[in-house]
């Protein structure tokens, strides 16, 4: 299976549109003659079009340079990842490798033919002076048919996809095409063919709940969008999926009066289960890189024994185990059941009507709770004889919850909320750096013990431990400064409204 990142822009053109001269756009010196292609694609989806609604497009296409099964992930007109898999002559169902990638988007439900797109394409290449292909431009005459309702549509479309060019080229071509009468298209061909069914209205929340539900749905959608990358262990995808899970859990807690209490808490517990499978993968990736960089930064005469090799070997094994456990979770019925329950919470009726003041009060409480946590941690007032490092870590988690709560109001409040989000993130990052030092020192102690048991020199582990301890000693003054910046009255005045 091949995976490619598409960087393209799409436009519509009426019958009178004529392709302008594109030479001079972003280094283009030559436009090739047109090559005619006939493309025929059947798009598959669930009966309620969950793939399309989640930004996924699954098709089996014949004709062109890349006939076969394709799964596209992402928004039309922007960067999209396309997974390609060859198709046999009689393949009616997508290969298992692709099914695993869209399992979250389909909620584990079966897919069936939903739309058919036939395209007459005139394809041109945009070349620079050295003959490099900077981009490919396609003029498409399209016919789309919804295979369920029978609705047909026909239209013209222009696609510009980067090959060796850059965004500046796309911007230059964009200006030239718009001047000639082309207009950007915000949706894919399959979305257009399915527009009748996709336009079916869904229940809309009251104005008070709308910001909370919009935010939670965006996190649900982010979780699903990063599912394919997370299966492959992509660091950014695992990180972003984990953050989406955290935001969802935090939102369900901060605004928990909005949903049935028992169901909301049960879904939070299932999100905690999913986060516990994502966490070890991401933490292992981060710690491996952190320690490798730390060893590399030491002078050669302070690195005694096979320190780098031992660290690399240990984390490679840990990462393989963590990835196996994550993939098993993402392939489980428990995971798809969680997504279905999350849909029901976020798309069904709320447990109670709320207004904007109710939302504002809960945002203020989240910020106040975090402030109190940090103040007690810095003052040494630790409940239950909690260790100072643990108290600071709990304050960090509280500030994450506060930041996510403020993010809910950011679309309505604007720059003032964004400024507070930035300050809270600064504070959270400093508390995170302190916690990273705590965890790193514990890992180094464990590594040193293993090295000692093997008869190796443990000097370097002690050096690295000391450097981490010294860095931690500088964290608290920095946290206090960041706390004071985050509490400026002008920055928080809007929270009262």
């Amino acid at each position: 299976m091949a995976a490619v990142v598409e960087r393209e822009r799409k436009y519509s053109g009426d019958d009178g549109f004529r392709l302008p001269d594109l030479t001079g756009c972003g280094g283009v010196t030559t436009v090739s003659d047109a090559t005619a292609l006939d493309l025929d694609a059947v798009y598959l989806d669930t009966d309620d079009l969950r793939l399309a609604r989640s930004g996924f497009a699954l098709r089996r296409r014949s004709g062109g340079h890349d006939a076969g099964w394709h799964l596209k992930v992402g928004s039309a007109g922007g960067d999209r990842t396309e997974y390609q898999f060859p198709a046999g002559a009689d393949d009616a169902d997508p290969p298992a490798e692709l099914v695993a990638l869209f399992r979250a988007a389909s909620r584990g439900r079966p897919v069936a033919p939903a739309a058919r797109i036939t395209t007459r394409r005139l394809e041109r290449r945009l070349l620079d002076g050295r003959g490099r292909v900077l981009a490919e431009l396609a003029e498409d005459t399209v016919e789309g048919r919804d295979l369920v309702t029978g609705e047909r549509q026909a239209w013209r479309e222009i696609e510009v996809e980067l090959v060796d060019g850059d965004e500046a080229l796309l911007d230059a071509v964009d200006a030239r095409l718009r001047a000639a009468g082309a207009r950007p298209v915000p949706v894919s061909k399959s979305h257009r063919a399915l527009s009748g069914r996709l336009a079916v209205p869904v229940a809309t929340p009251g104005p008070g709940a709308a910001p909370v539900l919009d935010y939670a749905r965006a996190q649900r959608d982010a979780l699903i969008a990063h599912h394919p990358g997370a299966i492959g262990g992509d660091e950014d995808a695992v990180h972003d999926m984990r953050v989406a899970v955290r935001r969802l859990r935090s939102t369900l807690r901060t605004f928990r009066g909005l949903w049935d209490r028992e169901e909301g808490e049960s879904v939070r517990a299932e999100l905690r289960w999913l986060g516990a499978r994502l966490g070890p993968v991401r933490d292992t990736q981060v710690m491996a890189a952190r320690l490798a960089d730390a060893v590399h930064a030491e002078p050669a005469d302070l690195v005694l024994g096979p320190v780098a090799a031992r660290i690399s070997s240990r984390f490679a094994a840990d990462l393989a185990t963590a990835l196996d456990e994550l993939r098993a979770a993402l392939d489980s019925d428990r995971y798809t059941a969680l997504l279905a329950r999350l849909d029901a919470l976020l798309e069904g009726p709320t447990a109670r009507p709320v207004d904007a003041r109710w939302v504002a009060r809960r945002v203020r409480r989240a910020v106040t709770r975090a402030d109190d946590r940090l103040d007690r941690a810095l003052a040494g007032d630790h409940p239950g004889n909690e260790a100072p490092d643990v108290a600071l870590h709990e304050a960090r988690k509280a500030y994450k919850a506060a930041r996510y709560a403020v993010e809910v109001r950011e679309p309505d409040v604007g720059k003032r909320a964004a400024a507070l989000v930035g300050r809270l993130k600064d504070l959270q990052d400093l508390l995170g750096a302190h916690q990273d030092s705590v965890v790193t020192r514990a890992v180094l102690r464990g590594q040193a013990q293993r090295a000692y048991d093997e008869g190796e020199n443990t000097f370097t582990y002690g050096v690295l431990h000391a450097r981490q301890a010294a860095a931690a000693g500088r964290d608290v003054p920095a946290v206090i400064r960041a706390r004071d910046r985050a509490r400026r009255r002008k920055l928080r005045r809007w929270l009262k409204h």
Side-chain angles (χ1 to χ4, degrees), residues 230-233 277-278 280-281 316-332:
I231 286 178
R277 272 66 192 168
L278 290 159
V281 176
D318 287 353
L319 181 58
T321 299
L323 275 172
D324 284 345
E325 292 177 355
L326 174 60
R327 289 172 180 139
L330 298 184
D331 191 42
S332 69

Side-chain angles (χ1 to χ4, degrees), residues 86-97:
D90 300 319
D91 284 356
D93 298 317
E97 291 89 341

Side-chain angles (χ1 to χ4, degrees), residues 14-264:
D14 58 26
D15 290 338
F17 175 80
R18 295 293 179 269
L19 188 68
D21 179 12
L22 297 176
T23 57
C25 293
V28 175
T29 61
T30 307
V31 179
S32 73
D33 292 336
T35 299
L37 301 168
D38 289 309
L39 310 175
D40 190 347
V42 173
Y43 287 79
L44 291 82
D45 210 325
T46 60
D47 56 3
D48 59 352
L49 304 180
R50 277 291 175 185
L51 295 188
R53 297 181 193 280
S54 299
F56 286 58
L58 172 67
R59 72 186 179 197
R60 188 184 189 281
R61 189 166 79 178
S62 59
H65 312 299
D66 57 353
W69 288 101
H70 302 159
L71 177 67
K72 293 190 176 189
V73 182
S75 301
D79 289 0
R80 306 180 81 188
T81 300
E82 180 178 295
Y83 300 90
Q84 302 172 347
F85 200 89
D90 300 319
D91 284 356
D93 298 317
E97 291 89 341
L98 284 187
V99 174
L101 297 182
F102 66 74
R103 181 175 174 81
S106 70
R107 307 330 190 243
R109 294 166 61 185
V111 296
R116 184 175 184 180
I117 307 288
T118 56
T119 304
R120 177 67 172 178
R121 170 166 290 180
L122 295 178
E123 188 174 88
R124 295 176 174 86
R125 294 181 295 172
L126 309 185
L127 311 170
D128 68 7
R130 293 184 292 163
R132 287 189 311 152
V133 180
L134 301 179
E136 291 180 343
L137 183 141
E139 288 186 275
D140 293 340
T141 302
V142 187
E143 181 178 293
R145 180 162 63 97
D146 187 318
L147 296 176
V148 174
T149 66
E151 181 182 358
R152 293 177 180 269
Q153 300 181 58
W155 66 92
R156 291 186 65 200
E157 192 169 288
I158 301 99
E159 291 185 4
V160 185
E161 182 177 349
L162 288 182
V163 180
D164 287 331
D166 55 20
E167 290 295 322
L169 167 63
L170 286 180
D171 290 340
V173 171
D174 177 85
R176 197 76 59 91
L177 291 176
R178 288 181 188 237
R183 293 293 175 261
V185 174
V187 297
S188 65
K189 290 181 176 67
S190 58
H191 264 254
R192 187 159 179 170
L194 295 167
S195 58
R197 284 194 284 156
L198 287 170
V200 174
V202 296
T204 56
V212 180
L213 291 174
D214 287 347
Y215 182 82
R217 289 169 184 165
Q219 306 316 313
R220 185 263 322 264
D221 294 346
L223 188 161
I224 291 165
H226 292 297
H227 169 98
I231 286 178
D234 178 82
E235 293 187 11
D236 290 337
V238 172
H239 170 73
D240 291 342
M241 193 174 182
R242 185 187 192 188
V243 170
V245 168
R246 284 173 170 169
R247 283 186 163 118
L248 282 166
R249 289 189 61 226
S250 181
T251 302
L252 290 174
R253 182 183 183 213
T254 299
F255 304 98
R256 57 187 166 192
L258 199 55
W259 299 279
D260 175 82
R261 180 66 64 93
E262 184 176 347
E263 177 65 3

